Amino acid sequence: MTLSGNNGLVWPSISQQMHLGWWKGDLASLKSEGADLQTLLGNLTRPVFVVLKDGKLYLTNQADISFDLNNRPAGGFPLMGFAAPTILENLGDSSFCQDHGLRYAYVGGSMAHGISSPEIAIALGRSGMVGFIGAAGDSPAKVEKAILQMKSLKEPVPFGFNLIHSPNEKGLEDVIVDLYLKHGVRLIEASAFLAMSLPLVRYRVTGIHEDANGRIVTPNKVIAKVSRVEVASKFFAPPPEKMLQKLVEAGFITEHQAKLATRIPVAQDLTSEADSGGHTDNRPAVSLHPTMVALKNRMQEEHKYEMPLRVGFGGGTGTPASAAAAFAMGAAYLVVGSAHQACVESGTSDAARLMLANAGQADIAMAPAGDMFEMGVTVQVLKRGTMFAMRAQKLYELFRKYDSIESLPAADRQMLEKTIFQDSIDNIWKGTADFFRQRDPSQLEKAEQDPHHKMALVFRWYLGLSPRWAVAGEESRKVDYQIWCGPAMGAFNEWAKGSFFEKPENRKVVDVAMNLLYGAALELRLTQLRNQGLKFANHLSNVAPKTLDQINSLI
Ligand SMILES: Cc1cc2nc3c(=O)[nH]c(=O)nc-3n(C[C@H](O)[C@H](O)[C@H](O)COP(=O)(O)O)c2cc1C
């Protein structure tokens, strides 16, 4: 039997299997009109019951249920489906929220140059989530200023800072870790690591002790972000013994603390970072995440940590459906980047925000990365409206083909100076040398001996400044903006079409976050009902953007 014409609720065929039990209750509570159905489905604090009466399907959230199919109660109607309340606080791993003092398992990922700004972290923190402030690419002085801003809040909120692995800038990780320890930054997002570094381990184990019950307490928490299983296994392992010994010898920790540290993972929380904005291995989340979860289970079994390991989900989340998929796959928490960059609180320019708001899913490209240019590492950037990806690729091709600036053909040199650099190579080198004289003089020594390295430093001038032009909204350099961005941006824009979110000025980070969480919960509820054989017309299954007031009235 096929039921239809039921204002969007369709039961394709009814079988005894789909008949769950009997519903009894106030007949006036049974609804079949579109708007009523939307309200019942959208009110996530209440259950939803699907009732068959006189050949027509109804929804209600009140019931007296019996599951004894053989005894139809007086006044009872067949119960054909059921969805439990879907509470936003229950999405993800509740222990993650408990450990980090959050209401929702939602994390704003670090975005370099302060694009994930203190303003993003404050807004998320005030709403029961946590945001990481993007420290990569910024001077220690700017990072310290942001720490002081967060520390001076009258009403403290949860927050964290990024610790990015910086193999090219000797000593930088140590300086940043010193700042975090000095100011009591208790949570970091550790990213771009291929192996453990001493500063990272120092941060993690500083202050480690046992409480009165002999349980290990680690004041400093690390959320690792990785896209490779080999690297994940290093974060889920205890800190390397050699590094612990070095820290003991240097007087940073005691022998006893080193011993305690062998019983903890470097990171209890690890984000499996799939195809995303910025550095990415472009792996699909649906294949990467289960692998990381399997690793977590193996390593928990092996090490039997007191603090159980957890895996969060990062990369590709720009819609409620993708957030729902993450939680359906068992994500302990969600990490969002690209969609936040387009929000009014982000540290980028209005010009960049507008370009992001116009991006489609295919408007992105991989381009050579500034920090690991010589190694051929790439980052995912916005392609539409900027020529950065093409120009950066040209630089990499020239770097591969020629071993010094002097060996560049005249035409290429001219093109570089006229089009890409918009300045003479001599001038660029002068500025570059001044920069490294302050920051890392060893680079200059290397460049003197190796002209190919000098070439890399000059080319990295462009790669290093292009994100700053975007952040500053430098009008004359618009075509050179390097804007890190993943496919989630285009997905968000597509979902936002026709709604208040379409305008960049309406994208507030908490509104975006709550829409992703609320929408995920609603998607999961619809999926529960779909899995029981119910079909929805488009207007019922369309999880559209809602204002914060609308969401608050439904949760
Ligand atoms: C503009 C931008 C800058 C980023 N910079 C960093 C960074 O400095 N450090 C880091 O760990 N991750 C960085 N990321 C990655 C994000 O923190 C986050 O993990 C990722 O964006 C999630 O995937 P999504 O872009 O699909 O939302 C950046 C992402 C973007 C979009």
Side-chain angles (χ1 to χ4, degrees), residues 424-497:
S424 71
I425 287 182
D426 291 345
N427 270 346
I428 304 284
W429 173 241
K430 245 195 198 147
T432 306
D434 283 347
F435 172 82
F436 281 109
R437 215 164 282 124
Q438 306 285 329
R439 188 94 171 227
D440 183 4
S442 70
Q443 295 289 338
L444 295 182
E445 288 159 26
K446 200 172 160 196
E448 254 166 46
Q449 281 151 26
D450 177 3
H452 205 210
H453 187 64
K454 180 176 171 183
M455 189 184 196
L457 292 185
V458 168
F459 286 7
R460 274 167 49 192
W461 171 89
Y462 177 76
L463 299 165
L465 277 184
S466 44
R468 293 175 194 271
W469 293 327
V471 163
E474 180 69 51
E475 186 62 33
S476 65
R477 285 295 195 163
K478 216 163 177 180
V479 290
D480 293 302
Y481 283 3
Q482 178 179 175
I483 302 176
W484 300 300
C485 177
M489 189 71 257
F492 179 92
N493 290 334
E494 187 60 41
W495 171 69
K497 246 186 203 137

Side-chain angles (χ1 to χ4, degrees), residues 183-196:
H183 295 291
V185 171
R186 294 296 179 215
L187 180 64
I188 62 165
E189 183 177 44
S191 49
F193 284 85
L194 297 174
M196 299 303 92

